[in-house]
Amino acid sequence: MNSVRHARGGRFLLGVTVVVVPVVLALLGPVLAGGPGPRAASFAEGDGHLFGTDFVGRDVWYQVLHGGRPVVLTALAATALAYLVAVPLGLAGALTRRRWLEELLMRPLDVLLAVPSLLMILLVATVFSPGPVGLALLVAVVNVPDAARLVRATATEIAARPAVEALRMQGETWWRVAVGHVGRSMVRTLAADAGTRLTGVLYLVATAAFLGVGAAPDAADWAVMVDRNRIGLFVQPWAVVVPALLIVALTTGTNLLFDAALDKGGRRRGRASGAVSGSASEAVSGSASEGAGRIPAGRTGKETRP
């Protein structure tokens, strides 16, 4: 038990250590950056530049400090918007008693799910050029079908339990059943999915920015920096390595934190359920003992005839 607890604590500390650097740089980087300073030669090292210069002679460290916020905020906004749409759709599809309404809600999502996410973003980007807000909306839209199917599957399993049927028989409102019981019961499942989905959204946002969707070609963005500076990778590698490592650290640390938090919550819930089961068993056995002690004499065995 102690080894498991130490392993979980070590994973949590590792996740915090890995994720704190990109998060701090993304949130506080623009405040700490200061002025841009004069430009120098392209892909130059030294001369007051901690990590050299980029493809147009700008300081790499200055670009790094300004490039994290668009990636992090776009990913967080896209994930939140996806769940904001997917949770009501999934709950409505799982708890409705009308088959036509379930088909109306879920079948269009199946069509969207059949199209690869990045392909859909690129197709929409050919029609109009989205900015950071547009990119967040696109990434949220392509994540809604999968998230809604997960919510529907989880809510359907919970809605089949006797407790939900009892609430319906008591005349509870749909809102109380859906949110008060079903929604609260699937929080853990959604939290587990949120960690994985946020990682996927981060990669999707970075890939779209890498391909020039949602960001200007010379924008201060970690993904754009990787794309625009890769031509000088073997001349001045820091312009590519630093933003790439920050993206990897952000996604990896997020996964580690969610895994550690969910593991801790699951073990705590398991201990609580074990304690409840134990007390219930003791109560049942105690009741049985008391009942046996009250059996009248002469009826504990077969009656003997004289």
Side-chain angles (χ1 to χ4, degrees), residues 12 66 114 124 149 190 205 209 213 228 241 258 267 288 294 298:
F12 181 80
H66 280 274
V124 174
R149 287 172 63 90
L190 292 181
V205 169
V213 179
R228 302 300 290 175
V241 171
F258 270 91
R267 293 184 181 278
R294 292 179 184 142

Side-chain angles (χ1 to χ4, degrees), residues 173-195:
T173 63
W174 184 92
W175 178 263
R176 180 173 175 80
V177 174
V179 179
H181 183 78
V182 178
R184 187 173 56 184
S185 299
M186 64 181 186
V187 167
R188 179 173 170 79
T189 302
L190 292 181
D193 179 69

Side-chain angles (χ1 to χ4, degrees), residues 4 29 38 59 135 137 156 165 189 202 205 221 233 254 279 300:
V4 173
D59 183 72
L135 179 59
L137 292 174
T156 300
E165 291 298 327
T189 302
L202 280 168
V205 169
D221 185 286
L233 177 62
T254 301
S279 60
T300 57

Side-chain angles (χ1 to χ4, degrees), residues 31-167:
V31 179
L32 304 174
R39 294 194 180 187
S42 300
F43 299 122
E45 294 183 356
D47 196 20
H49 302 287
L50 180 61
F51 293 107
T53 60
D54 64 358
F55 69 107
V56 291
R58 297 174 300 188
D59 183 72
V60 170
W61 181 239
Y62 179 83
Q63 295 297 108
V64 165
L65 291 176
H66 280 274
R69 185 173 291 184
V71 176
V72 173
L73 293 183
T74 302
L76 290 175
T79 305
L81 286 173
Y83 282 114
L84 190 64
V85 177
V87 171
L89 286 178
L91 285 175
L95 300 178
T96 183
R97 298 299 183 93
R98 297 174 177 83
R99 182 68 179 178
W100 63 268
L101 180 58
E102 181 182 0
E103 295 291 328
L104 181 64
L105 292 173
M106 303 308 296
R107 293 296 78 82
L109 299 181
D110 292 340
V111 175
L112 291 176
L113 192 62
V115 182
S117 302
L118 186 58
L119 177 60
M120 181 179 295
I121 292 176
L122 294 177
L123 288 176
V124 174
T126 59
V127 179
F128 67 94
S129 180
V133 177
L135 179 59
L137 292 174
L138 285 176
V139 175
V141 167
V142 299
N143 275 274
V144 164
D146 184 44
R149 287 172 63 90
L150 175 72
V151 172
R152 176 178 172 272
T154 306
T156 300
E157 188 273 330
I158 298 173
R161 297 175 182 174
V164 178
E165 291 298 327
L167 289 175

Side-chain angles (χ1 to χ4, degrees), residues 265-279:
R267 293 184 181 278
R268 184 186 297 116
R269 183 173 298 182
R271 288 195 298 269
S273 61
V276 171
S277 300
S279 60

Side-chain angles (χ1 to χ4, degrees), residues 201-274:
V201 168
L202 280 168
Y203 277 121
L204 192 58
V205 169
T207 303
F210 179 85
L211 297 175
V213 179
D218 59 346
D221 185 286
W222 289 346
V224 175
M225 291 178 66
V226 174
D227 174 41
R228 302 300 290 175
N229 294 310
R230 56 194 171 94
I231 57 175
L233 177 62
F234 297 103
V235 179
Q236 208 286 85
W238 295 116
V240 176
V241 171
V242 173
L245 286 178
L246 289 172
I247 293 174
V248 172
L250 183 62
T251 54
T252 305
T254 301
N255 260 335
L256 289 173
L257 285 177
F258 270 91
D259 288 345
L262 291 172
D263 188 23
K264 182 177 180 180
R267 293 184 181 278
R268 184 186 297 116
R269 183 173 298 182
R271 288 195 298 269
S273 61

